[in-house]
Amino acid sequence: MQVSGEPAKNSKNAKGVKKPDVNDAMCPSRLVLEHVTSRWGVLILIALLDRSYRFSELRRKITGVSEKMLTQTLQTLERDGFVHRDAQPVIPPRVDYSLTPLGAEAARLIAELGRWTEDRLAAVEEARGRYDERRAESRRAMSQ
């Protein structure tokens, strides 16, 4: 996947088909990236790394997600091949969600970014404070 600002050395594969390039506005990889990096997509993938979940369990695990958004995001991730939906023909219906091998690969990468974010939160908050203070000083100077 080409994600740097440098142009690809060979933008076509052996069959002459254009290679995916996330920097290309028309590349379908952008939509996949959007699905796995959306707020709920990230949290669902990370949660499913632990184990499979029933819908209601997953909703309790990921606080703040609405039933509608959880349903839509699970359907999107299932369509993209990241999530497996296992509907049991029992009464009451039982549906379990788990990661496919592709989903587990993506989830491990995203979970690492999540851990990095948690580990660096204090540094980010300090940077925000410095930025906000500089902005406030600049506004005060301009208003005088």
Side-chain angles (χ1 to χ4, degrees):
M1 175 169 60
Q2 171 90 17
V3 293
S4 71
E6 299 175 22
K9 290 181 180 162
N10 181 4
S11 61
K12 295 194 177 189
N13 66 16
K15 295 181 180 181
V17 177
K18 188 174 179 183
K19 290 183 180 179
D21 178 358
V22 75
N23 292 312
D24 180 348
M26 299 307 292
C27 184
S29 65
R30 279 196 179 185
L31 190 56
V32 175
L33 185 63
E34 181 181 321
H35 295 164
V36 298
T37 61
S38 70
R39 176 193 327 183
W40 304 121
V42 164
L43 297 174
I44 289 168
L45 291 171
I46 290 173
L48 290 175
L49 262 176
D50 293 338
R51 63 179 178 88
S52 65
Y53 281 91
R54 295 179 71 178
F55 184 88
S56 57
E57 293 176 310
L58 199 51
R59 185 150 181 239
R60 283 190 299 273
K61 172 118 176 127
I62 304 170
T63 59
V65 65
S66 69
E67 186 171 322
K68 177 183 176 182
M69 284 308 303
L70 183 57
T71 299
Q72 287 177 350
T73 307
L74 284 167
Q75 288 173 345
T76 298
L77 293 172
E78 181 184 7
R79 182 171 185 255
D80 287 347
F82 296 112
V83 170
H84 173 71
R85 181 180 184 271
D86 183 25
Q88 304 287 326
V90 294
I91 307 281
R94 178 183 174 102
V95 179
D96 291 296
Y97 295 91
S98 60
L99 293 174
T100 65
L102 183 65
E105 181 181 0
R108 283 190 295 274
L109 294 167
I110 290 167
E112 182 61 30
L113 179 60
R115 283 188 292 276
W116 178 88
T117 303
E118 291 169 342
D119 292 345
R120 300 297 185 261
L121 184 57
V124 170
E125 289 174 340
E126 288 174 20
R128 287 176 177 170
R130 289 189 304 271
Y131 176 87
D132 292 346
E133 184 56 36
R134 285 192 313 269
R135 294 283 301 218
E137 288 173 11
S138 177
R139 282 193 296 270
R140 282 191 298 268
M142 291 180 76
S143 67
Q144 293 179 354

